[in-house]
Amino acid sequence: MKQIVVLISGRGSNMEAIVRAGLPAKIAAVISNRAGAAGLEFAVQAGIPTRVVDEREFPSREAFETALAEAIDRHSPDLIALAGFMRVLGGDFVRRYSGRMLNIHPSLLPAFPGLHTHRRALQEGVKLHGCTVHFVTPQVDHGPIVAQAAVPVLSGDTEGTLAARVLRQEHRIYPLAVRWFVEGRLAVDNGLVRVEGAETEQSVLAGP
Ligand code: GRF
């Protein structure tokens, strides 16, 4: 069975969605870069080994990433899923997990990489917004796109209402993308992701 390590920083609702999806894979560990991340509690209750590698305890990014890689590698994971992991990772770290690290980003990439995506979407007046699951590459929020879901931006939306609408879609497409990965259905060709099999159009449709 494929082994997955999930990295979180906070609430962990995407991690929870992946766990609850009942995928044909083992969630080997949930690792947080912040002590007290709320999501750790859910993982403990679900019987998943947890670990904190607190970035504030390390003198440099290199030292932190070395410790993080050690914590990950002890599980020999097939996949590392970044789920609300709010930390930019260095090129060496990213290359170590090339082709087996996914991230969820709350925008329709390549629009709005980086932070405050919902606020920026409202400021720009876009009519469609959404979320993206992508392979992680050294350029932040730019890797090959596995799945996207779009939602409308409605008049009267606030950052909060828009974020909530997008988050419902995150919880739908991230488990779907992880399922495709563990089923061995994803191929990356020249920076483009091909999904083997049917029903891949699910990835772009907003659900209820
Ligand atoms: C999500 O919107 C994710 O896309 C972004 O941060 C948020 C984390 O939420 N990177 P959670 O921790 O998964 O609940």
Side-chain angles (χ1 to χ4, degrees):
M1 203 180 235
K2 294 247 167 67
Q3 310 283 316
I4 304 174
V5 168
V6 185
L7 303 191
I8 66 168
S9 297
R11 182 178 54 187
S13 70
N14 277 291
M15 173 271 294
E16 196 174 326
I18 291 168
V19 171
R20 286 187 192 280
L23 302 173
K26 181 172 175 210
I27 312 296
V30 171
I31 301 174
S32 172
N33 63 326
R34 296 201 189 137
L40 290 171
E41 207 165 303
F42 170 83
V44 168
Q45 273 167 21
I48 300 165
T50 60
R51 175 83 188 271
V52 174
V53 182
D54 198 318
E55 58 196 45
R56 291 166 298 197
E57 287 172 9
F58 296 88
S60 65
R61 177 161 101 175
E62 288 70 27
F64 164 70
E65 290 184 354
T66 300
L68 183 60
E70 275 170 21
I72 292 170
D73 291 349
R74 80 175 42 201
H75 300 284
S76 307
D78 300 282
L79 173 67
I80 297 96
L82 308 186
F85 187 72
M86 303 303 285
R87 166 94 200 196
V88 173
L89 294 164
D92 287 345
F93 185 93
V94 169
R95 276 185 287 273
R96 179 188 190 94
Y97 301 110
S98 175
R100 55 189 179 114
M101 185 154 64
L102 293 174
N103 181 44
I104 180 112
H105 181 76
S107 79
L108 291 173
L109 291 173
F112 309 123
L115 296 173
H116 309 302
T117 55
H118 309 305
R119 189 187 312 167
R120 287 156 62 207
L122 290 172
Q123 282 165 354
E124 294 293 338
V126 297
K127 303 302 179 198
L128 286 173
H129 186 43
C131 49
T132 303
V133 179
H134 65 95
F135 280 100
V136 178
T137 55
Q139 196 183 353
V140 176
D141 299 332
H142 274 84
I145 291 172
V146 179
Q148 291 188 306
V151 302
V153 180
L154 304 178
S155 60
D157 261 341
T158 62
E159 225 177 306
T161 59
L162 185 54
R165 192 175 306 122
V166 171
L167 191 64
R168 279 196 293 279
Q169 298 307 315
E170 295 185 39
H171 294 166
R172 195 175 62 85
I173 66 167
Y174 208 0
L176 187 63
V178 170
R179 176 181 294 276
W180 290 340
F181 183 95
V182 298
E183 289 176 351
R185 292 168 59 187
L186 298 181
V188 183
D189 198 359
N190 226 353
L192 299 180
V193 176
R194 200 177 60 247
V195 187
E196 311 284 356
E199 114 275 328
T200 57
E201 67 281 2
Q202 276 186 26
S203 65
V204 295
L205 297 177

